[in-house]
Amino acid sequence: MTQPIHIVGGGMAGSEAAWQIAEAGLPVVIHEMRPVRGTEAHLTDGLAELVCSNSFRSDDAETNAVGLLHEEMRRCNSIIMAMGDKHQVPAGGALAVDRVAFSDAVTETLKNHPKVTIERGEVAGLPPAEWDSVIIATGPLTSPALSQAILDLTGEDSLAFFDAIAPIIHRESIDMEVAWMQSRYDKGETEADKAAYINCPMDKAQYEAFIDALMAAPKTEFKDWEKDTPYFEACLPIEVMAERGRETLRHGPMKPRGLTNKHNPDVKPWAVVQLRQDNALGTLFNMVGFQTKLKYGAQAEIFRMIPGLENAEFARLGGIHRNTFINSPRLLDKQLRMKANPAWRFAGQVTGVEGYVESAAMGLMAGRLAAAERKGETLSAPPATTAFGALIEHVTGGHLSGKATFQPMNVNFGLFPDIDTPLKTEDGKRLRGKDKSVARKRAMSARALSDLQVWLGTDRLAAE
């Protein structure tokens, strides 16, 4: 008799993983602690409960990365996308769902599947040794007992804490006629090291206006269950630093020392915002020291006051909130298995992705990879040119080593390998600005879906 694959957690990732395994003809057990043990955020005991928004975000598969991920999941027989489509509510170009009907449908569909067993109760501590294939999909609200057990096993200093996340910007949207590349004091062994940072200069009037806007902007409040987790002094929100004095930022993350504006070398900037490369592809740059609790709308408005960032496109905005995720690049292999114990896979937000759809996508991948392994098949992850592959690459090594730290992220085109795009339209007009960006995204999406179809042809589970 085939031993079941065990899934710890019945959220978006766990539900999707279970569906993929069951549809491959293998037995699977979902271990969901609710309602035996509740969480601070969930209201029901339903599987795939949406605890915040009811939106899966854009459904545009041509020019939006999350819309592309929707389409890739649909082509992989995703239960999350099938039930999302079935219980859709009006939301313009976004896919939003009736959250109760959606969760009920996922729960009933899995409950009625002959290969699925749902066990209610907490997995307190590490999964039992006799479970020879496990997917841990416990999300940002992993139970304290399991969190501590993972910490004890991995030796990580911290698992549950306030993320201090700086905004991340698409490199191509930065105006390099204003900004310039230089490391402070030209430090570095190589020419690339000496030009490792993008620098955006401010004069005194621009700096003062920026501080005024920062101090007046609306901030996000902590939830009650987050309030007992303190800030790290080393990564305070920029608005908290600004409250300590108007010159604090100019002598902190915005200090101008050791930098010369190549566009205006005779004038010393009053302050400088630095951006550091955030991924190995060099397509994303993070704003150094700009972790913040500003509301998202205010962030985009205020940060575009910075010279060179007037037209900035954000891969993600900043934030500070309680989260639980592992250091996936250090701990996981490309099969999403823990290097120290390959019987365990991780999926969902605990791996370092953000968003409902991204979490479900990682569950889908973990489920397919686990099912293939159980059947004795060899299945590689999809190529990095696909949305699936770009996410897996991000959590297993797409970030930069060294001073750069691994942080959760939504899917975005900055995670994909670049692509050559047409320079002109069919009638011979040169593509510029937004039109050029749209053409690039369409080319990336077309490549992704083509490469996914090739990958699906190698996946025996998809052919059965």
Side-chain angles (χ1 to χ4, degrees):
M1 179 179 175
T2 303
Q3 291 295 311
I5 297 172
H6 295 266
I7 298 176
V8 183
M12 298 286 278
S15 297
E16 186 65 71
W19 175 254
Q20 296 294 324
I21 293 165
E23 286 291 275
L26 298 170
V28 60
V29 180
I30 302 173
H31 301 269
E32 171 52 55
M33 68 181 185
R34 294 175 292 123
V36 177
R37 180 189 176 101
T39 76
E40 299 91 339
H42 290 87
L43 299 177
T44 76
D45 62 0
L47 302 180
E49 179 185 341
L50 307 181
V51 298
C52 296
S53 167
N54 70 327
S55 175
F56 290 0
R57 313 196 316 279
S58 174
D59 203 34
D60 173 9
E62 286 193 335
T63 64
N64 189 286
V66 74
L68 172 61
L69 186 57
H70 289 178
E71 180 60 25
E72 290 188 13
M73 292 176 68
R74 290 184 178 109
R75 296 189 184 196
C76 290
N77 183 33
S78 163
I79 185 176
I80 293 300
M81 291 308 303
M83 296 307 152
D85 289 337
K86 185 176 181 180
H87 296 285
Q88 184 174 3
V89 297
L95 173 60
V97 304
D98 179 322
R99 68 176 71 228
V100 174
F102 168 79
S103 175
D104 287 349
V106 173
T107 302
E108 287 303 306
T109 302
L110 288 170
K111 181 179 176 182
N112 293 328
H113 198 293
K115 294 292 184 180
V116 177
T117 301
I118 302 172
E119 293 189 359
R120 300 286 182 168
E122 180 183 0
V123 176
L126 297 178
E130 59 267 25
W131 294 2
D132 64 347
S133 182
V134 181
I135 297 174
I136 297 174
T138 46
L141 298 176
T142 300
S143 72
L146 182 55
S147 293
Q148 188 58 51
I150 294 170
L151 287 176
D152 293 342
L153 180 71
T154 63
E156 288 291 288
D157 293 334
S158 185
L159 187 72
F161 58 101
F162 272 118
D163 281 338
I165 303 169
I168 295 174
I169 295 175
H170 290 276
R171 167 68 174 78
E172 64 177 10
S173 70
I174 300 171
D175 185 356
M176 296 306 294
E177 295 296 316
V178 176
W180 77 97
M181 303 290 296
Q182 183 189 6
S183 294
R184 202 177 300 279
Y185 299 108
D186 297 311
K187 289 183 179 179
E189 297 295 324
T190 67
E191 290 304 312
D193 289 336
K194 292 176 182 178
Y197 291 80
I198 294 176
N199 300 278
C200 299
M202 281 186 174
D203 61 27
K204 185 174 182 179
Q206 290 167 334
Y207 176 79
E208 294 295 337
F210 178 78
I211 295 298
D212 288 340
L214 194 63
M215 300 282 280
K219 282 80 174 176
T220 301
E221 296 297 325
F222 287 133
K223 298 179 178 66
D224 289 340
W225 50 272
E226 294 178 319
K227 290 179 179 177
D228 60 351
T229 305
Y231 294 123
F232 291 123
E233 190 68 20
C235 54
L236 292 171
I238 56 169
E239 61 273 12
V240 172
M241 286 189 276
E243 289 169 358
R244 296 182 175 184
R246 295 183 68 87
E247 293 288 287
T248 302
L249 288 175
R250 201 170 76 84
H251 293 282
M254 296 176 66
K255 60 181 177 287
R257 294 193 300 274
L259 297 167
T260 300
N261 184 351
K262 78 170 189 177
H263 303 299
N264 195 2
D266 295 329
V267 176
K268 190 71 175 177
W270 187 254
V272 173
V273 175
Q274 286 198 306
L275 297 97
R276 179 176 56 222
Q277 187 173 332
D278 197 78
N279 67 340
L281 296 172
T283 55
L284 301 174
F285 276 70
N286 71 75
M287 299 177 71
V288 177
F290 267 61
Q291 53 276 359
T292 178
K293 285 197 74 215
L294 296 179
K295 290 189 174 180
Y296 282 174
Q299 285 187 47
E301 180 179 347
I302 292 171
F303 296 153
R304 288 182 180 132
M305 294 172 64
I306 298 169
L309 303 185
E310 293 89 347
N311 298 307
E313 294 182 9
F314 294 91
R316 69 160 302 150
L317 290 163
I320 295 181
H321 58 95
R322 187 179 173 217
N323 201 353
T324 302
F325 66 98
I326 61 173
N327 187 354
S328 292
R330 189 175 75 81
L331 299 179
L332 301 184
D333 65 16
K334 300 293 184 182
Q335 290 274 315
L336 302 178
R337 296 175 300 201
M338 180 174 276
K339 296 174 185 176
N341 185 349
W344 299 353
R345 280 181 169 82
F346 284 77
Q349 277 191 259
V350 75
T351 64
V353 297
E354 287 207 336
Y356 294 144
V357 179
E358 290 88 340
S359 295
M362 294 301 286
L364 188 154
M365 282 292 112
R368 284 187 171 237
L369 293 169
E373 184 176 68
R374 175 67 90 204
K375 289 188 166 188
E377 308 286 353
T378 300
L379 178 63
S380 298
T385 51
T386 65
F388 282 129
L391 282 175
I392 291 176
E393 182 64 23
H394 168 65
V395 303
T396 60
H399 77 303
L400 290 173
S401 58
K403 291 183 179 180
T405 56
F406 175 66
Q407 290 287 358
M409 188 175 290
N410 296 111
V411 67
N412 66 84
F413 283 116
L415 299 179
F416 293 61
D418 209 350
I419 191 171
D420 291 331
T421 54
L423 299 178
K424 296 181 179 180
T425 63
E426 292 182 359
D427 58 1
K429 293 182 179 179
R430 186 173 180 82
L431 289 169
R432 298 181 185 277
K434 186 177 180 180
D435 291 338
K436 184 177 179 181
S437 176
V438 168
R440 175 175 166 271
K441 291 172 181 176
R442 282 182 172 150
M444 284 184 162
S445 295
R447 177 184 65 180
L449 294 178
S450 176
D451 289 354
L452 180 70
Q453 288 305 123
V454 173
W455 179 80
L456 285 171
T458 69
D459 181 0
R460 297 187 186 183
L461 300 179
E464 292 179 355

